């Protein structure tokens, strides 16, 4: 087989990837052994090994201890809605958006005070070291982990108020807009930036992902008259979900 200018291991990986995508190597099928790849493609052991590593890094195959390497079942991506849809007061944005999608969502959270690092201080337009309330969430759909979120709120705004703890008190779990309104802070703008990166080990462990998998990261910040009042990072497995935005036309 002539491989041209492209490295041989990438050409082998590309051919095996095509077989996985078109169903020639269906889910749960054992990937050809290193010796079989070497023989079929006329390459060295090193090339065969590197080609398998590429497919594993892409999440197309997985190793099973003492058994070999197998094609992973490819999940059908589901949709996560992001919108200004707020039909009911007193419900969290997450629960409302999940209701709009016809699924059942639950979540767990934990809040604690900390000093803002340089990045979070910049996003909140405060000084590094200023106190913030950090809240970590894990969201589930029908019991399956679907996304993680970490939010930060300046205690200069919420400290010593009934909404200092996002998930506790009379407005616990109601969402940033409604909670801020309760302390006379009117949220009038929200900015979201979407990016992608390899998932961190602890993120993939919580989400049930495979090392090397890509996650989408939504960096969100709420503003009141130009002042940031909350910022958050939302982490979603890229292979299982698609972010769907509903934007009103004005």
């Amino acid at each position: 087989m002539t491989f041209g200018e492209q490295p041989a291991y990438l050409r082998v990986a590309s051919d095996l990837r095509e077989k996985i995508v078109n169903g020639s190597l269906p889910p749960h099928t054992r990937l050809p052994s290193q010796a079989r790849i070497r023989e079929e493609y006329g390459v060295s052991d090193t090339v065969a090994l590197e080609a398998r590593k590429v497919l594993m890094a892409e999440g197309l195959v997985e190793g099973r201890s003492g058994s070999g390497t197998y094609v992973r079942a490819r999940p059908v991506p589901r949709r996560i809605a992001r919108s200004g849809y707020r039909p009911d007061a007193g419900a969290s944005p997450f629960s409302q958006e999940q209701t709009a999608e016809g699924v059942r969502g639950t979540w767990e959270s934990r809040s604690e005070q900390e000093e803002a690092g340089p990045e979070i201080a910049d996003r909140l337009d405060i000084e590094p070291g200023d106190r913030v309330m950090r809240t970590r969430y894990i969201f589930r759909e029908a019991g399956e982990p679907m996304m993680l979120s970490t939010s930060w709120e300046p205690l200069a705004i919420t400290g010593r108020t009934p909404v200092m703890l996002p998930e506790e008190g009379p407005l616990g779990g109601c969402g940033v807009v409604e909670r801020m309104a309760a302390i006379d802070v009117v949220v009038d703008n929200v900015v979201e930036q979407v990016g992608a990166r390899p998932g961190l080990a602890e993120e993939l462990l919580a989400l049930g992902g495979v090392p090397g998998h890509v996650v989408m990261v939504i960096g969100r910040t709420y503003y009141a008259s130009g002042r940031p009042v909350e910022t958050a990072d939302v982490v979603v497995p890229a292979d299982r979900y698609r972010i769907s935005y509903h934007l009103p036309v004005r």
Side-chain angles (χ1 to χ4, degrees), residues 1 11 19 21 47 85 100 114 158 195 231 245:
M1 180 177 293
R11 291 293 300 272
K19 291 179 179 179
V21 171
V47 168
Y85 179 68
E114 68 177 18
T158 62
T231 194
Y245 281 88

Side-chain angles (χ1 to χ4, degrees), residues 4-222:
E5 297 181 359
Q6 190 178 42
Y9 77 94
L10 291 181
R11 291 293 300 272
V12 174
S14 179
D15 190 68
L16 291 171
R17 184 189 304 111
E18 178 61 26
K19 291 179 179 179
I20 292 172
V21 171
N22 68 24
S24 298
L25 287 172
H28 310 299
T29 299
R30 185 173 180 176
L31 195 71
S33 66
Q34 189 167 313
R36 175 74 179 275
I37 293 174
R38 181 189 63 209
E39 179 181 347
E40 182 176 346
Y41 293 94
V43 297
S44 66
D45 281 333
T46 299
V47 168
L49 178 61
E50 290 302 314
R52 290 158 64 92
K53 286 182 178 179
V54 168
L55 298 178
M56 191 167 293
E58 293 175 350
L60 294 174
V61 301
E62 61 185 353
R64 298 180 186 175
S65 180
S67 179
T69 305
Y70 292 79
V71 177
R72 293 185 69 244
R74 301 178 66 194
V76 177
R78 286 166 283 179
R79 187 171 70 161
I80 293 178
R82 308 289 296 174
S83 71
Y85 179 68
R86 300 289 181 268
D88 301 311
S92 75
F94 173 73
S95 63
Q96 289 171 3
E97 290 168 349
Q98 294 304 293
T99 298
E101 293 300 305
V103 298
R104 297 178 59 188
T106 60
W107 68 94
E108 300 170 9
S109 66
R110 184 180 66 186
S111 297
E112 57 187 342
Q113 296 185 34
E114 68 177 18
E115 294 182 354
E119 179 186 354
I120 298 305
D122 183 64
R123 288 166 60 170
L124 290 173
D125 196 19
I126 59 177
E127 294 296 323
D130 284 358
R131 303 293 292 177
V132 295
M133 183 66 71
R134 182 190 68 195
T135 304
R136 289 176 170 166
Y137 297 85
I138 179 167
F139 297 91
R140 292 184 172 87
E141 176 187 316
E144 177 186 344
M146 62 179 293
M147 66 181 178
L148 306 174
S149 177
T150 304
S151 69
W152 296 266
E153 296 179 352
L155 286 172
I157 296 176
T158 62
R160 300 182 183 277
T161 74
V163 301
M164 185 174 72
L165 293 168
E167 296 296 321
E168 297 182 23
L171 292 176
C174 286
V176 176
V177 175
E178 189 171 353
R179 289 175 48 250
M180 292 295 169
I183 56 173
D184 298 321
V185 175
V186 179
V187 174
D188 53 19
N189 192 25
V190 58
V191 175
E192 292 193 348
Q193 296 181 329
V194 182
R197 59 168 171 75
L200 303 178
E202 58 267 28
E203 293 170 341
L204 296 174
L205 179 63
L207 292 169
V210 173
H213 269 194
V214 172
V215 296
M216 292 177 286
V217 182
I218 304 169
R220 180 197 68 206
T221 303
Y222 282 100

